[in-house]
């Protein structure tokens, strides 16, 4: 009997995808919607943008057929501040290299996001999706050339955060497994 294929990973960035930022007054004249919780008062003083995070993201992320992983500079703080607000359990956290990647030998390598190589190494051949607001075509091309498994690099607009369209695209990709 063969082992079933491992579930895909979902690498989650926080700032941008989960906590939208950067909209102008023209884009959002009344400001961002907020979702304060009674227990969030203290955490909101330390991280005032946390109230922008839609708690509805948690159940939607948890329902996806994948293993969630924090891929954010929040590091372990994501488990302390973000997971409880979303109703998620503690998640694995990608440990980032101490120094950014050194420049590569060609234009694609030079344009890579500093997280790209680390995420491919962390996935170790496993299929993965990556939600981030800084993904570019250079990252997609590099992952396609250097990662043997399936990968979806989904750029999320930082001014709006995750949208229904993002969840639909992610769910379709995750369920469309060979």
């Amino acid at each position: 009997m063969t082992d079933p294929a491992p579930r895909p990973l979902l690498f989650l960035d926080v700032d941008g995808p989960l906590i939208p930022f950067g909209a102008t007054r023209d884009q959002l004249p009344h400001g961002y919607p907020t979702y304060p919780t009674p227990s969030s008062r203290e955490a909101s003083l330390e991280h005032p943008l946390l109230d922008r995070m839609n708690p509805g993201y948690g159940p939607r992320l948890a329902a996806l057929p994948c293993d969630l992983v924090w891929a954010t500079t929040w590091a372990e703080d994501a488990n302390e501040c973000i997971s409880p607000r979303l109703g998620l359990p503690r998640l694995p956290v990608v440990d980032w290299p101490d120094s950014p990647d050194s420049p590569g030998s060609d234009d694609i390598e030079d344009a890579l996001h500093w997280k790209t190589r680390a995420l491919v190494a962390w996935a170790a051949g496993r299929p993965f999706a990556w939600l981030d607001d800084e993904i570019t075509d250079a990252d997609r091309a590099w992952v396609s050339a250097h990662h043997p498994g399936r990968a979806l690099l989904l750029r999320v607009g930082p001014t709006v955060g995750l949208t229904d369209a993002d969840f639909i695209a992610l769910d379709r990709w995750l369920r469309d497994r060979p």
Side-chain angles (χ1 to χ4, degrees):
M1 189 160 111
T2 61
D3 291 331
R7 287 168 32 114
L9 300 166
L10 174 54
F11 293 120
L12 296 167
D13 183 32
V14 171
D15 296 312
L18 299 180
I19 301 175
F21 69 92
T24 65
R25 286 208 183 273
D26 289 339
Q27 292 170 311
L28 289 172
H30 301 290
Y32 283 97
T34 58
Y35 309 89
T37 63
S39 62
S40 71
R41 206 174 245 185
E42 188 175 308
S44 294
L45 293 175
E46 189 174 334
H47 302 288
L49 301 183
L50 282 175
D51 285 346
R52 290 184 184 176
M53 190 172 32
N54 183 338
Y57 290 160
R60 292 182 82 177
L61 289 167
L64 294 169
C66 60
D67 294 335
L68 304 175
V69 179
W70 290 123
T72 173
T73 56
W74 282 68
E76 200 54 51
D77 285 345
N79 278 320
E80 303 302 321
C81 299
I82 308 296
S83 287
R85 291 178 70 100
L86 294 178
L88 295 174
R90 292 186 74 78
L91 303 176
V93 177
V94 174
D95 289 321
W96 303 115
D98 290 334
S99 61
D101 291 322
S102 58
S105 58
D106 59 34
D107 290 339
I108 289 177
E109 298 262 340
D110 290 341
L112 280 183
H113 190 285
W114 62 269
K115 293 179 181 177
T116 306
R117 287 182 187 89
L119 294 179
V120 167
W122 210 94
R126 227 170 131 178
F128 73 86
W130 173 23
L131 298 178
D132 203 300
D133 59 307
E134 297 179 341
I135 293 169
T136 67
D137 288 339
D139 300 300
R140 289 184 187 94
W142 194 89
V143 169
S144 178
H146 295 88
H147 180 64
R150 296 175 60 236
L152 172 68
L153 280 63
L154 187 59
R155 185 184 182 283
V156 176
T159 59
V160 295
L162 284 169
T163 64
D164 286 341
D166 295 326
F167 276 105
I168 290 167
L170 186 56
D171 188 63
R172 282 186 184 149
W173 185 86
L174 289 166
R175 293 182 192 285
D176 182 29
R177 293 200 260 169

